[in-house]
Amino acid sequence: MSHTDEPRTDGGEPLSDEQLFGQLAEKDRVELSRKERYSRALDAYVLAPARVAWEDWRMRFGIFIITMFVFVGVVGTRLVPRPGTNQAPNNLQPFQGGVSAIWEDGGWIDIGLEHSYSFQYFSIPGFDLEYPLGADNYGTPIGRNLVHATPDMLEMVIAGAIVSVGIAALIGITAGYKGGKIDSFLMYITDIVMTMPGLPLIIVIAAIYPPRQAWLVGVVLAIDSWPGLARALRSQVLTLREESYVEASRTMGLTSKTILSRDITPQLMPYILINAAHAGRSVIFGAIALYFLGILPFTTANWGIMMDTAYSEAHALVNLANFYQIFWPMAAVVVISFGLIMFAQGMDRVFNPRIRARHAKKVGGDGESVDN
């Protein structure tokens, strides 16, 4: 006898399975309007991750640094004049005049109503800056060079990170989930690329087809940086595909594309994004090194070219009076790399489902607003 066949204690007729489960399903059903569905989606996918990110100081710090470089690359280049030779005295020291320049005329800063700092389209009265970061051996202002080199550096970082992480994710996740001959074939290609010497390969490619666009430099530098991540992602997917929720999705008849996009890839996003930040750093270091060695063509302003000029023309590592010429581009590389590391560490919390659920206010959070 099933539990539904047992007589009711109040003497009434026993309920059928359809009646019993039908009543429970009806009770649990919550009708949501379109506005409520959009509100829940906005809270789950935008506001909750933003709250998690804002509570992590590493994320705030990383976003601040990256935003600062993006602002300089987008807005700064429209405000600061383009760099050129003989715009300033040769080998002009940074902050010429020191602290006393603040209250004395001349030097790197002048304060007073008679002074104004002119941008390309407007001016700010009350102060004037005169090449605060100094000038190089050819009288090119270092500050202007740094500002106008930023867009190309950002372009290289974005292109290199997308290519490196994109190829690794596509090959690693597909190989791990599909298995069989597809896995063997993709890992065979991965192992071939992994065994190639990366730096000589990039030098040969750059010598045969010199990349002149910044994004193309990033793509070339990312050619050999994806196999390690692809191998690591494949190993992660081999474990995830045996999880009960993935097995349930397969039992329900969901397609491989749906399972990969909804069940497996989100679990790998923290690892992928952390590696994207590291790939961006690798592109920066690789580009700086190749420009410094003179392997990549000198086409536009670049932090590596600035370091090469400081080393070869101003002898910055021997003549310490000119060390500032190599210090400023080096400082820019260190700061943006540090920002990418902080951003990647903060993203680890953003993609943690438990932390994100605690910050969701509409559903599942501490401030539950939907009556169950």
Side-chain angles (χ1 to χ4, degrees):
M1 177 183 295
S2 69
H3 66 282
T4 55
D5 295 330
E6 295 176 357
R8 292 177 54 178
T9 55
D10 59 358
E13 293 296 328
L15 297 173
S16 65
D17 289 344
E18 290 76 10
Q19 289 174 318
L20 177 62
F21 293 110
Q23 288 175 0
L24 290 176
E26 186 68 27
K27 180 182 178 182
D28 291 340
R29 186 177 298 130
V30 177
E31 294 294 339
L32 297 176
S33 65
R34 178 176 297 181
K35 182 180 179 181
E36 288 173 330
R37 289 199 300 271
Y38 287 154
S39 177
R40 284 191 172 197
L42 178 67
D43 184 70
Y45 296 108
V46 178
L47 299 181
R51 294 187 196 102
V52 177
W54 188 249
E55 287 191 356
D56 192 324
W57 70 269
R58 299 169 302 179
M59 191 70 171
R60 292 199 301 270
F61 197 69
I63 290 176
F64 171 75
I65 293 177
I66 294 173
T67 304
M68 183 181 66
F69 276 94
V70 172
F71 178 81
V72 170
V74 175
V75 180
T77 53
R78 300 178 185 276
L79 300 177
V80 178
R82 296 192 66 83
T85 57
N86 299 321
Q87 290 180 342
N90 294 349
N91 296 322
L92 178 67
Q93 296 292 312
F95 306 109
Q96 182 75 19
V99 179
S100 59
I102 297 176
W103 57 82
E104 295 178 356
D105 285 341
W108 64 278
I109 184 171
D110 288 318
I111 297 178
L113 296 177
E114 67 275 15
H115 299 290
S116 63
Y117 185 68
S118 299
F119 295 96
Q120 286 189 339
Y121 306 109
F122 59 93
S123 60
I124 301 176
F127 76 100
D128 188 18
L129 293 175
E130 195 72 19
Y131 316 120
L133 302 186
D136 64 11
N137 209 35
Y138 298 101
T140 304
I142 293 177
R144 295 181 182 180
N145 239 344
L146 286 175
V147 169
H148 284 270
T150 302
D152 283 350
M153 296 304 301
L154 294 177
E155 201 173 319
M156 287 181 205
V157 170
I158 294 173
I162 290 176
V163 170
S164 174
V165 174
I167 296 176
L170 180 64
I171 291 182
I173 294 175
T174 305
Y177 184 75
K178 288 293 186 182
K181 293 182 179 179
I182 295 178
D183 180 23
S184 301
F185 175 72
L186 293 177
M187 288 302 101
Y188 180 70
I189 295 176
T190 302
D191 291 340
I192 290 177
V193 178
M194 190 178 290
T195 55
M196 292 181 179
L199 182 60
L201 176 65
I202 293 173
I203 292 175
V204 170
I205 293 175
I208 297 175
Y209 303 105
R212 298 190 176 278
Q213 293 84 8
W215 66 269
L216 196 54
V217 174
V219 171
V220 170
L221 293 174
I223 285 177
D224 70 320
S225 60
W226 61 267
L229 178 59
R231 274 281 183 187
L233 290 175
R234 172 183 174 272
S235 300
Q236 295 286 329
V237 174
L238 287 175
T239 304
L240 289 174
R241 74 177 185 179
E242 304 299 331
E243 294 288 340
S244 56
Y245 61 91
V246 178
E247 185 64 31
S249 298
R250 280 198 291 264
T251 305
M252 293 168 62
L254 298 182
T255 62
S256 298
K257 180 181 177 182
T258 304
I259 295 174
L260 287 173
S261 62
R262 293 185 179 180
D263 294 338
I264 293 181
T265 303
Q267 306 298 324
L268 302 172
M269 285 308 294
Y271 190 68
I272 291 175
L273 285 175
I274 290 173
N275 278 275
H278 290 307
R281 287 179 59 246
S282 300
V283 169
I284 293 175
F285 293 152
I288 296 297
L290 294 179
Y291 277 115
F292 181 77
L293 295 174
I295 296 173
L296 292 175
F298 291 7
T299 52
T300 59
N302 185 280
W303 299 340
I305 296 175
M306 294 175 65
M307 294 173 68
D308 177 72
T309 304
Y311 173 76
S312 59
E313 303 293 337
H315 308 291
L317 295 181
V318 179
N319 183 5
L320 295 183
N322 293 336
F323 181 75
Y324 69 92
Q325 297 184 23
I326 204 171
F327 170 78
W328 291 119
M330 192 185 304
V333 173
V334 171
V335 171
I336 193 173
S337 300
F338 187 67
L340 289 172
I341 291 174
M342 292 292 100
F343 181 78
Q345 292 184 355
M347 290 303 291
D348 187 32
R349 281 175 54 84
V350 171
F351 281 97
N352 187 319
R354 293 182 179 178
I355 297 177
R356 204 167 62 228
R358 286 204 302 268
H359 289 75
K361 291 187 176 181
K362 296 293 182 183
V363 178
D366 295 334
E368 187 84 10
S369 63
V370 177
D371 297 331
N372 293 323

